[in-house]
Amino acid sequence: MASLGVTVRLYKVGAVWVGEKAGRLKFNGRLFSRSPLSDLEELELLRLGAEGKAAGWRTLRTLADTDTRLDAGRLDELISRASSQAGELEELRVHAARRVISQP
């Protein structure tokens, strides 16, 4: 963001923080303990985040050939890393789904 001259908006950072905390409030009868679906839900959201991040890097990568502010090599690394993260999260998500489905 800094190399592109994009400023960090603290109110957006704060809103995300509040949203994350509010997302922990669930009306599932488990105020102080985790729901059996919590791991699965969180892994699904993390995987979606990794996929979204990869899409953003791919978008910037298409611009890197004409925009000198963007480092194509670094973007290639970020794309690879995000894809790897999404793959690992998918494996964890499938494992969590099996655990949840097999519970009585």
Side-chain angles (χ1 to χ4, degrees):
M1 289 177 64
S3 67
L4 295 174
V6 178
T7 57
V8 176
R9 307 272 188 226
L10 293 179
Y11 69 90
K12 289 183 180 181
V13 174
V16 169
W17 182 86
V18 168
E20 187 265 333
K21 300 301 178 201
R24 292 183 183 190
L25 298 173
K26 298 179 183 80
F27 301 103
N28 59 9
R30 296 174 180 264
L31 186 59
F32 297 107
S33 64
R34 292 173 57 82
S35 162
L37 289 174
S38 292
D39 289 342
L40 179 60
E41 182 181 58
E42 290 169 3
L43 287 165
E44 287 176 347
L45 290 171
L46 284 169
R47 185 173 184 281
L48 285 171
E51 291 289 348
K53 180 172 57 173
W57 296 140
R58 285 191 301 270
T59 299
L60 289 173
R61 180 60 181 89
T62 62
L63 302 172
D65 294 331
T66 57
D67 191 332
T68 59
R69 299 174 298 171
L70 298 169
D71 181 349
R74 178 69 177 137
L75 289 167
D76 289 337
E77 291 172 20
L78 292 169
I79 291 167
S80 175
R81 192 165 76 185
S83 297
S84 174
Q85 290 168 350
E88 289 178 38
L89 288 164
E90 176 61 11
E91 289 178 27
L92 292 169
R93 187 196 67 77
V94 168
H95 181 69
R98 285 188 183 125
R99 268 196 330 266
V100 169
I101 292 169
S102 67
Q103 285 184 352

